[in-house]
Amino acid sequence: MKTLSALIFASMTFLSAAAFAVDLQLWNSSAPQSLQNLKAPVRVVNLWATWCGPCRKEMPEMSAWYKTQQKGSVDMVGIALDSTENIGKFLKSTPVSYPIWRYGGADSRQFMKSFGNQVGVLPFTVVEAPKCGFKQTITGEVNAKSLSTALKAAQAKCK
């Protein structure tokens, strides 16, 4: 029963997030992006904005953590709820090793809810393994330890 509930929850979350897929684009172009194109068994999705102090603080450590991951084992993407201009200025001073996308839609609150962020706080990170129904959300700032812990939990669940 727990497995069925987890699959239903994962499917509902996937469908809800998929509804916003048309509003995802590379931060510096209008090239559409999709979480379904991420192929690693585990993916990390970080919702952030340039005006968010904890978001700016966590990004260098997230970037360093991502560089240490085995190629093909984890996909990471940062999805900015911000303007292209603000993102560009920030990334000039704080480059990251993972792709940055931008949510270009009109309802960022609903977009955040589609990932499980009911409060609407940033930063908000989702670590998920879609093929086995694992999903962990982290509200607030993450670090290498919290990312590694979530990654290990996903890998253990999906063995």
Side-chain angles (χ1 to χ4, degrees):
M1 187 67 173
K2 281 186 179 180
T3 304
L4 179 60
S5 296
L7 286 173
I8 290 170
F9 175 76
S11 297
M12 288 172 46
T13 302
F14 171 78
L15 291 174
S16 181
F20 291 97
V22 296
D23 296 324
L24 292 175
Q25 52 197 232
L26 282 177
W27 76 267
N28 58 352
S29 77
S30 58
Q33 300 300 304
S34 172
L35 293 174
Q36 287 65 46
N37 292 339
L38 302 177
K39 301 300 182 197
V42 178
R43 65 183 175 208
V44 177
V45 179
N46 176 256
L47 304 180
W48 69 285
T50 62
W51 47 261
C52 165
C55 299
R56 292 190 315 269
K57 184 179 174 196
E58 75 181 352
M59 290 178 77
E61 188 167 354
M62 286 181 6
S63 181
W65 176 85
Y66 182 61
K67 283 183 190 177
T68 67
Q69 301 311 301
Q70 181 180 348
K71 188 171 177 81
S73 66
V74 178
D75 282 322
M76 178 181 265
V77 64
I79 301 177
L81 307 175
D82 213 321
S83 71
T84 300
E85 182 180 343
N86 289 344
I87 298 166
K89 286 179 186 175
F90 174 75
L91 291 177
K92 258 188 187 171
S93 64
T94 310
V96 295
S97 60
Y98 52 90
I100 298 295
W101 299 351
R102 189 175 82 78
Y103 172 68
D107 193 346
S108 59
R109 176 77 61 180
Q110 274 307 118
F111 177 71
M112 287 190 282
K113 283 183 178 181
S114 75
F115 283 91
N117 186 348
Q118 300 304 313
V119 183
V121 67
L122 293 177
F124 185 81
T125 304
V126 178
V127 178
E128 59 187 349
K131 290 183 180 171
C132 70
F134 177 87
K135 180 177 179 178
Q136 180 180 338
T137 61
I138 305 168
T139 301
E141 192 177 324
V142 297
N143 56 39
K145 182 179 179 183
S146 60
L147 289 169
S148 292
T149 299
L151 176 63
K152 286 177 186 166
Q155 292 168 332
K157 165 124 173 129
C158 299
K159 279 189 177 180

